[in-house]
Amino acid sequence: MATDKQQIPDPEILRELRAAGLGAEADKIEQRLGINLGAITNVLDKFVTRDPDCMKLKEKVYKLAVEDDCVLITGASGTGKELIAKALGANRKSGRFVAINVSAIPRELVESTLFGYVKGAFTGAVADAEGLVQYAAEGTLFLDEIGDLSLDLQSKFLRVLQDRKVRRVGSNKEEDVKCRFIAATHCDLQGMVKEKLFRLDLYARLSTFILAIPSLTQRLSDVPHIVKALAPNYPVEQVDWSKVDLSYNVRSLEQYARRYNVLGELPSQ
């Protein structure tokens, strides 16, 4: 998807154009650049931050959303990796976003789940079935916890990325891959490469573009703003957030917000 990367406008400019009744002009700008800033912004607005590093990360998302390259998103659990993945996929021709947590699928089913299978490929394969790669079509396939992919499947996935072709389990026929791949992990993939737990060639293919999301403990100034977004009446000034357990990142804040809304409780410090 070609675009003039140096001329992607600030989303606020297009918002102002539409607010001024110049929506047609805003549409022409987006069409010329091949970008749907509104769709991307609608997702990114849910990633609440005023942290300088995270603001730069959002700027990168706008630039990468118009490309087809695979992007690797890193960060601890609960930092918002799937939200960033959705923003990256919001510009695709098809709005379909298919997310799968690799670690949640039994190892023996990962290949058939991703690539599909043909009738008779194994016991229980009573009819042809497409995998998630085919189901994602021209949308986005988000592979969470890519570090949990077994070495043999890493090799097969590498071929899919390189050749843009996929072969169903039990088939000799190759099918074109049209979806965009976004991968995420909380693991240190470079460390896994050194320990020979993750293929170097696959890491090289995945790591051209890396978006690293910092944990909330690294951006404490964001915490009150996120809490207010979750619970507008929350008395954030009564809590010393540096002394609160943020192990689950945004999920921790969702818990605190829910406890306050239901029981009026503030976190222990």
Side-chain angles (χ1 to χ4, degrees):
M1 188 180 298
T3 185
D4 185 344
K5 302 175 185 60
Q6 301 303 315
Q7 296 185 26
I8 294 177
D10 186 327
E12 286 300 322
I13 294 176
L14 296 187
R15 283 178 174 174
E16 291 173 5
L17 284 174
R18 291 193 167 95
L22 298 174
E25 294 302 318
D27 291 342
K28 287 179 182 178
I29 293 173
E30 290 193 353
Q31 185 175 7
R32 176 170 60 83
L33 297 176
I35 187 170
N36 187 339
L37 281 173
I40 302 168
T41 301
N42 285 341
V43 180
L44 278 184
D45 281 349
K46 299 174 185 176
F47 188 91
V48 178
T49 184
R50 297 187 185 181
D51 176 74
D53 289 337
C54 286
M55 294 302 292
K56 290 179 181 177
L57 183 146
K58 283 180 147 185
E59 292 175 5
K60 291 180 181 178
V61 170
Y62 283 108
K63 294 179 180 179
L64 291 173
V66 300
E67 306 296 344
D68 291 326
D69 305 71
C70 181
V71 177
L72 177 64
I73 306 172
T74 64
S77 177
T79 50
K81 296 190 293 295
E82 184 167 343
L83 192 58
I84 293 299
K86 287 181 178 178
L88 287 167
N91 201 58
R92 300 288 295 178
K93 292 179 180 178
S94 165
R96 182 172 291 174
F97 180 86
V98 181
I100 180 172
N101 188 316
V102 175
S103 65
I105 309 173
R107 180 172 177 173
E108 64 273 13
L109 297 180
V110 175
E111 183 176 4
S112 59
T113 299
L114 287 177
F115 307 143
Y117 55 86
V118 297
K119 180 179 179 180
F122 49 81
T123 302
V126 296
D128 292 355
E130 66 179 9
L132 294 181
V133 171
Q134 297 96 326
Y135 177 71
E138 293 184 342
T140 302
L141 180 59
F142 174 53
L143 296 166
D144 199 6
E145 301 305 344
I146 191 74
D148 291 334
L149 203 62
S150 63
L151 285 169
D152 58 325
L153 284 175
Q154 288 177 31
S155 176
K156 294 179 180 180
F157 183 56
L158 174 64
R159 288 199 295 271
V160 172
L161 289 178
Q162 289 177 333
D163 303 334
R164 302 296 295 178
K165 301 281 186 180
V166 66
R167 183 181 299 168
R168 302 189 191 201
V169 176
S171 174
N172 293 320
K173 180 182 177 182
E174 290 187 328
E175 303 173 47
D176 291 333
V177 172
K178 299 179 181 179
C179 67
R180 182 182 190 178
F181 293 102
I182 306 294
T185 183
H186 73 281
C187 299
D188 174 11
L189 291 188
Q190 285 185 307
M192 292 180 66
V193 168
K194 292 178 182 178
E195 296 176 11
K196 300 190 182 305
L197 297 175
F198 201 85
R199 293 181 62 105
L200 174 61
D201 47 7
L202 177 55
Y203 180 72
R205 177 68 64 168
L206 292 173
S207 60
T208 300
F209 298 106
I210 299 178
L211 297 178
I213 307 177
S215 299
L216 287 184
T217 53
Q218 298 173 280
R219 50 185 180 104
L220 281 175
S221 61
D222 270 347
V223 172
H225 303 296
I226 298 173
V227 174
K228 279 292 189 180
L230 295 169
N233 296 323
Y234 203 106
V236 293
E237 67 283 349
Q238 296 182 25
V239 180
D240 182 350
W241 295 103
S242 65
K243 298 180 180 179
V244 171
D245 182 8
L246 299 174
S247 301
Y248 308 125
N249 290 288
V250 175
R251 293 194 185 102
S252 293
L253 301 186
E254 289 173 343
Q255 290 182 342
Y256 297 141
R258 183 61 178 162
R259 289 170 188 162
Y260 179 78
N261 284 337
V262 176
L263 303 174
E265 292 182 353
L266 298 178
S268 57
Q269 302 175 61

